[in-house]
Amino acid sequence: MGCAQSTIAVVGRKNKKRIIQESVVFVLQFRVPVQSDIQRQLKGVSPKTTIDRLTCLRNQIELVAEDTGGSAISELRTALEEYLSLLSGLIKKSKDGMEGCVELKWRTLGDGRRAEICCTNLWMEMLIVIHMMAALALTEANSLMIPKDCYASGSGNGVRVVSTDCRRDAVDLLLKASGYLEFCVREILTQLPHDIKSKLPDDMQESVLQTLSIQALGQGTEIQLGLAVDSQKATLSVKRRIACEQVIYFTQAYHCLSSCEAVSHGCAKKLLRFIYWKFLEAKAAAYYYHGLVTDKGSEPACHLSAVCCFLAAAEILGESKKACLSFCLAPPVTRAPPIWGVMKHLSQKIPEVAFRKSQTYGYLLEEEEKAMQCLPELPDFQLSLRPDDFELPEIEDVSSS
């Protein structure tokens, strides 16, 4: 799912089964601590009790993540928050992040014993911790959108059902993840020397973090559109507004990532394909709902504009399916969810309405051939979703006794 390894633990840490994970939400890879000689590195800087707690928490994060494949989200989050509180205290005391005085190692979960990152600065260590907290939030959001009992019982047609509460909780988690990532860009990267920033992994580069934050908002908007489609109270104008906002989020995310040097490989490459897929889905939805709203007008020009929107939506929808396949095949290979919810609704409605309306108003298309050469502009709306504000947990006193 996303950049995450497609490995899950089935029975203990020795018995692992590789499967192709389903990806509703773009999920980041987990990193776990590697044993480091913290006692020696922090001797004389912090009391032994603090050093022991740091060591214990790093070990706990590694063991829990390994044993559960990262599924013990609540336990991991609690350990990370406690570890973050201790880190904040050390950073406040050292002021310069103890540059060059520490070597704290992390590796990608499921990647053997190889140390992928060696932190020589406590600000960098904080970046990795909050990045993992964002990964946990995204993973939890993804799991909520793929519940165990995700098909309507007795329906006989395999229609996936995700409860309203699960979808709303997933939106909250996406906003929380966006807030974590925005904090990393605004508060942590600004503290790192250039030489350290240049060596960060692809998914911790500034443009990638910004992109991930924006696209999380886009996915939250996507889920909101699904809720609106299911609501009898939501008007066509409301649905159009949400779909247009979704287009704006994914457009911003795509442009932000396109300038990244790492976009030609790894996590950034797969993320770019994911965003393009979601952008096309959002654009198809926006043109469809814009067409429905426009078609309510009484003038021939309104009907003509609506038909152009419907035909564009149908064409873009077809392109989105190709983009989905391109994303899934980019390493690490992932599996797209079956078409359900709002996209199932639109996959049925868009071709049907495009055909029916083009038949009804075909004569207008023949009279105004130029209309097909220029699509109507989608309305511009102020964006509704914002990243959650994130603040560091209360700083623990790590003064030497």
Side-chain angles (χ1 to χ4, degrees):
M1 54 183 78
C3 285
Q5 295 290 327
S6 297
T7 304
I8 62 168
V10 240
V11 184
R13 49 190 310 193
K14 292 185 179 179
N15 300 300
K16 288 185 179 178
K17 178 182 177 183
R18 293 194 71 87
I19 65 170
I20 298 178
Q21 294 281 31
E22 186 174 319
S23 183
V24 177
V25 171
F26 191 90
V27 176
L28 299 171
Q29 61 187 359
F30 286 167
R31 291 183 175 87
V32 294
V34 175
Q35 288 189 0
S36 304
D37 191 2
I38 299 179
Q39 284 85 356
R40 178 184 59 81
Q41 297 175 36
L42 298 181
K43 185 177 181 180
V45 177
S46 296
K48 185 176 184 302
T49 53
T50 299
I51 298 173
D52 289 343
R53 285 179 64 199
L54 285 169
T55 303
C56 180
L57 286 167
R58 284 176 63 88
N59 291 338
Q60 180 183 347
I61 293 166
E62 179 189 14
L63 289 172
V64 172
E66 284 281 5
D67 284 340
T68 66
S71 62
I73 293 173
S74 179
E75 190 175 350
L76 285 169
R77 183 184 294 121
T78 299
L80 286 167
E81 288 175 350
E82 187 176 348
Y83 187 67
L84 187 58
S85 178
L86 291 171
L87 269 182
S88 299
L90 286 173
I91 289 174
K92 183 179 180 180
K93 182 180 179 181
S94 65
K95 299 188 184 304
D96 65 348
M98 298 183 66
E99 174 64 36
C101 297
V102 293
E103 286 188 1
L104 303 173
K105 300 177 181 179
W106 294 70
R107 62 177 174 80
T108 303
L109 182 63
D111 196 23
R113 306 304 303 177
R114 182 173 64 87
E116 179 189 300
I117 306 176
C118 181
C119 300
T120 58
N121 182 301
L122 292 182
W123 283 108
M124 185 175 175
E125 180 80 353
M126 179 178 284
L127 173 64
I128 294 176
V129 171
I130 299 179
H131 186 275
M132 187 168 174
M133 291 169 66
L136 288 174
L138 293 170
T139 299
E140 187 174 3
N142 191 65
S143 66
L144 286 172
M145 299 300 289
I146 315 173
K148 294 178 181 178
D149 184 18
C150 58
Y151 294 97
S153 58
S155 64
N157 56 7
V159 177
R160 170 169 287 189
V161 176
V162 180
S163 72
T164 297
D165 287 343
C166 281
R167 285 183 282 174
R168 286 175 177 165
D169 288 345
V171 173
D172 291 341
L173 286 163
L174 286 164
L175 298 183
K176 183 177 290 187
S178 182
Y180 289 145
L181 295 162
E182 184 188 55
F183 182 89
C184 289
V185 174
R186 187 183 69 248
E187 302 292 341
I188 301 181
L189 289 184
T190 54
Q191 302 292 336
L192 294 177
H194 176 73
D195 61 322
I196 291 182
K197 285 197 288 188
S198 64
K199 297 175 183 177
L200 289 172
D202 291 347
D203 60 344
M204 292 185 186
Q205 295 290 332
E206 182 173 355
S207 57
V208 177
L209 292 173
Q210 289 176 331
T211 299
L212 288 164
S213 178
I214 297 170
Q215 74 86 26
L217 300 178
Q219 289 205 262
T221 308
E222 176 188 11
I223 297 172
Q224 286 187 328
L225 178 59
L227 291 169
V229 169
D230 291 346
S231 172
Q232 295 182 351
K233 296 180 180 180
T235 64
L236 287 177
S237 295
V238 168
K239 295 170 188 175
R240 177 182 65 172
R241 178 191 178 96
I242 297 173
C244 288
E245 286 185 34
Q246 192 183 341
V247 172
I248 296 171
Y249 281 122
F250 285 118
T251 299
Q252 290 179 351
Y254 189 87
H255 287 315
C256 184
L257 190 60
S258 297
S259 61
C260 177
E261 294 181 0
V263 77
S264 60
H265 61 276
C267 175
K269 180 178 181 179
K270 192 168 183 70
L271 176 59
L272 190 68
R273 294 188 181 187
F274 179 84
I275 290 170
Y276 185 59
W277 165 35
K278 290 299 176 181
F279 163 76
L280 290 175
E281 286 190 343
K283 200 169 185 179
Y287 271 119
Y288 172 69
Y289 286 115
H290 186 50
L292 291 178
V293 173
T294 305
D295 198 39
K296 288 184 174 294
S298 57
E299 298 295 323
C302 295
H303 302 311
L304 178 61
S305 179
V307 172
C308 291
C309 288
F310 295 139
L311 293 175
E315 183 177 352
I316 295 168
L317 186 65
E319 290 298 315
S320 73
K321 294 175 182 177
K322 298 176 185 177
C324 174
L325 179 62
S326 177
F327 158 71
C328 290
L329 294 179
V333 175
T334 43
R335 177 166 55 94
I339 297 178
W340 68 284
V342 63
M343 286 316 300
K344 184 175 181 65
H345 172 77
L346 294 177
S347 294
Q348 295 170 344
K349 286 291 185 180
I350 289 176
E352 173 191 319
V353 173
F355 176 78
R356 188 175 73 249
K357 294 294 184 178
S358 61
Q359 292 292 308
T360 303
Y361 299 113
Y363 69 96
L364 292 175
L365 293 173
E366 293 175 1
E367 293 174 3
E368 300 287 345
E369 293 182 6
K370 291 183 180 180
M372 291 299 294
Q373 299 175 10
C374 184
L375 273 175
E377 287 190 11
L378 292 170
D380 192 17
F381 294 104
Q382 185 175 353
L383 298 175
S384 302
L385 295 185
R386 294 286 184 272
D388 277 356
D389 290 331
F390 171 69
E391 295 181 359
L392 292 173
E394 184 176 348
I395 296 175
E396 290 205 25
D397 184 8
V398 295
S399 301
S400 298
S401 52

